[in-house]
Amino acid sequence: MSSKRESPLEVFLNRHDDAAWRETLVTLLPAIHEVDRNAAQVWFHFYPLALLRAFQAAEDPARLAQELLMQGSWYLKDQLDASHTFLYGHRFWPEVKRAVVQLAGGVEIPNGRTLAEVVREVARAAAAERKVDESLTIGIAAVGLMALQQVGSEEFRRAPGEVLIDRRHLKRTPEEVLRERAKDEGQGLFGFLRTADRRWTVVWDENADDRRFKALDKQEVASGAQADKRPWHETDARCTVNEGPIPVQCRSASCGTCWVGVLGGADKLSETEWRERKVMPLFGYVETDDPKPLIRLSCQARAEGPVSVVIPPWNGYFGKYLKRVREGTSEEAVASS
Ligand code: FES
């Protein structure tokens, strides 16, 4: 953790771990606009606090990164503005950032205030400034506060606080985004009779019209992506030439490279099978009994309808390690005891 003096807001936030944040999100979910209900949860899976703390505590972070097979860009400080472009609320980021900075410069958070109440306070301020409904700013307000907790006040203030979506996509209403996600691809009046050549649209960036591909009915999402031969390795070094925009290695639920978050259509993906369920907690991505969770391995999840997913900018194998840290049996924990 940083040795710099923490603001009262950071002191308050640092009393909360990933589990406390998860509980807070559950409390807030009914108040979050549907357009961002999944996205907010996905973001919190993409940037776990415990992983950051493990790196901050490590004597040799580069060695730890090797041990955890980390690939891509996992530090939130390197992508403070870009990490949440997949939230509809990203367009209110400048206002949310201002509200968080203002709160961070204020006095102690009164005893008894809950994290959910603090999130709502930031969301209310941002919504009032932009004259939008608060339901649209709650998800991004939670993101803003967790971001402050992870990077500290100084770094947080320094981030440009930019909106990174083009003007045309910025203009879309939440209803338009939801309609687009729910677009029925029944493929004609007698579509249900055609099974062999059915194809589903998989969108992997809702802010760019060319970032989508077709998957055959019941085809693994990552296999559908393979048909896109554009040079995605130039955008994401984890991608392999001619393998599409989703980074993949094993295609057999062993490496964890291909994980994605589901923004829309989670129910249109096949249920998790035992292998995906077994490895997800080992990777550290998600631990859930939900047969259709919001975090999936795209080499396992099969498309049975249109879906909207988001590709995280990194992957790793850290669940086992964090468990050892929690239990005090990691090398680092043993060395410091
Ligand atoms: S490609 Fe290895 S787990 Fe999916």
Side-chain angles (χ1 to χ4, degrees), residues 248-251 253-256 258 299:
V248 285
Q249 281 176 26
C250 69
R251 294 188 185 274
S254 304
C255 70
C258 68
C299 71

PDB file of all heavy atoms in Angstrom, residues 248-251 253-256 258 299, ligand 1:
ATOM      1  N   VAL A 248      -6.507 -16.380 -27.340  1.00  0.00           N
ATOM      2  CA  VAL A 248      -6.723 -17.793 -26.973  1.00  0.00           C
ATOM      3  C   VAL A 248      -5.380 -18.516 -26.984  1.00  0.00           C
ATOM      4  O   VAL A 248      -4.467 -18.124 -27.699  1.00  0.00           O
ATOM      5  CB  VAL A 248      -7.663 -18.533 -27.970  1.00  0.00           C
ATOM      6  CG1 VAL A 248      -9.106 -18.141 -27.782  1.00  0.00           C
ATOM      7  CG2 VAL A 248      -7.228 -18.310 -29.403  1.00  0.00           C
ATOM      8  N   GLN A 249      -5.296 -19.563 -26.201  1.00  0.00           N
ATOM      9  CA  GLN A 249      -4.108 -20.414 -26.265  1.00  0.00           C
ATOM     10  C   GLN A 249      -4.519 -21.882 -26.364  1.00  0.00           C
ATOM     11  O   GLN A 249      -4.346 -22.514 -27.377  1.00  0.00           O
ATOM     12  CB  GLN A 249      -3.208 -20.184 -25.052  1.00  0.00           C
ATOM     13  CG  GLN A 249      -2.374 -18.899 -25.196  1.00  0.00           C
ATOM     14  CD  GLN A 249      -1.547 -18.598 -23.961  1.00  0.00           C
ATOM     15  OE1 GLN A 249      -1.192 -19.494 -23.201  1.00  0.00           O
ATOM     16  NE2 GLN A 249      -1.254 -17.331 -23.734  1.00  0.00           N
ATOM     17  N   CYS A 250      -5.131 -22.403 -25.297  1.00  0.00           N
ATOM     18  CA  CYS A 250      -5.358 -23.856 -25.247  1.00  0.00           C
ATOM     19  C   CYS A 250      -6.664 -24.307 -25.909  1.00  0.00           C
ATOM     20  O   CYS A 250      -6.759 -25.407 -26.407  1.00  0.00           O
ATOM     21  CB  CYS A 250      -5.349 -24.309 -23.797  1.00  0.00           C
ATOM     22  SG  CYS A 250      -6.787 -23.697 -22.866  1.00  0.00           S
ATOM     23  N   ARG A 251      -7.680 -23.464 -25.833  1.00  0.00           N
ATOM     24  CA  ARG A 251      -9.047 -23.795 -26.280  1.00  0.00           C
ATOM     25  C   ARG A 251      -9.632 -24.983 -25.511  1.00  0.00           C
ATOM     26  O   ARG A 251     -10.497 -25.700 -26.007  1.00  0.00           O
ATOM     27  CB  ARG A 251      -9.100 -24.075 -27.792  1.00  0.00           C
ATOM     28  CG  ARG A 251      -8.792 -22.852 -28.625  1.00  0.00           C
ATOM     29  CD  ARG A 251      -9.036 -23.113 -30.093  1.00  0.00           C
ATOM     30  NE  ARG A 251      -8.630 -21.964 -30.890  1.00  0.00           N
ATOM     31  CZ  ARG A 251      -9.416 -20.921 -31.141  1.00  0.00           C
ATOM     32  NH1 ARG A 251     -10.635 -20.888 -30.681  1.00  0.00           N
ATOM     33  NH2 ARG A 251      -8.969 -19.917 -31.854  1.00  0.00           N
ATOM     34  N   ALA A 253     -10.012 -24.862 -21.743  1.00  0.00           N
ATOM     35  CA  ALA A 253     -10.246 -24.459 -20.350  1.00  0.00           C
ATOM     36  C   ALA A 253      -9.045 -24.730 -19.446  1.00  0.00           C
ATOM     37  O   ALA A 253      -9.203 -25.065 -18.286  1.00  0.00           O
ATOM     38  CB  ALA A 253     -11.504 -25.128 -19.793  1.00  0.00           C
ATOM     39  N   SER A 254      -7.830 -24.568 -20.010  1.00  0.00           N
ATOM     40  CA  SER A 254      -6.643 -24.824 -19.188  1.00  0.00           C
ATOM     41  C   SER A 254      -5.808 -23.584 -18.922  1.00  0.00           C
ATOM     42  O   SER A 254      -5.057 -23.554 -17.953  1.00  0.00           O
ATOM     43  CB  SER A 254      -5.729 -25.847 -19.867  1.00  0.00           C
ATOM     44  OG  SER A 254      -6.425 -27.019 -20.125  1.00  0.00           O
ATOM     45  N   CYS A 255      -5.874 -22.587 -19.819  1.00  0.00           N
ATOM     46  CA  CYS A 255      -4.927 -21.464 -19.688  1.00  0.00           C
ATOM     47  C   CYS A 255      -5.560 -20.197 -19.133  1.00  0.00           C
ATOM     48  O   CYS A 255      -4.867 -19.368 -18.551  1.00  0.00           O
ATOM     49  CB  CYS A 255      -4.283 -21.170 -21.042  1.00  0.00           C
ATOM     50  SG  CYS A 255      -5.419 -20.454 -22.250  1.00  0.00           S
ATOM     51  N   GLY A 256      -6.849 -19.989 -19.322  1.00  0.00           N
ATOM     52  CA  GLY A 256      -7.527 -18.797 -18.797  1.00  0.00           C
ATOM     53  C   GLY A 256      -7.362 -17.558 -19.660  1.00  0.00           C
ATOM     54  O   GLY A 256      -7.794 -16.470 -19.290  1.00  0.00           O
ATOM     55  N   CYS A 258      -8.779 -16.749 -22.500  1.00  0.00           N
ATOM     56  CA  CYS A 258      -9.912 -16.325 -23.323  1.00  0.00           C
ATOM     57  C   CYS A 258     -11.091 -15.783 -22.519  1.00  0.00           C
ATOM     58  O   CYS A 258     -12.191 -15.694 -23.037  1.00  0.00           O
ATOM     59  CB  CYS A 258     -10.401 -17.520 -24.146  1.00  0.00           C
ATOM     60  SG  CYS A 258     -11.142 -18.789 -23.106  1.00  0.00           S
ATOM     61  N   CYS A 299     -13.783 -20.010 -24.865  1.00  0.00           N
ATOM     62  CA  CYS A 299     -13.523 -21.251 -25.607  1.00  0.00           C
ATOM     63  C   CYS A 299     -14.466 -22.361 -25.162  1.00  0.00           C
ATOM     64  O   CYS A 299     -14.456 -23.456 -25.744  1.00  0.00           O
ATOM     65  CB  CYS A 299     -12.063 -21.686 -25.462  1.00  0.00           C
ATOM     66  SG  CYS A 299     -11.644 -22.306 -23.822  1.00  0.00           S
TER      67      CYS A 299
HETATM   68  S1  FES B   1      -8.196 -20.664 -24.567  1.00  0.00           S
HETATM   69 FE1  FES B   1      -7.331 -21.507 -22.777  1.00  0.00          FE
HETATM   70  S2  FES B   1      -8.971 -21.420 -21.379  1.00  0.00           S
HETATM   71 FE2  FES B   1      -9.866 -20.777 -23.222  1.00  0.00          FE
END
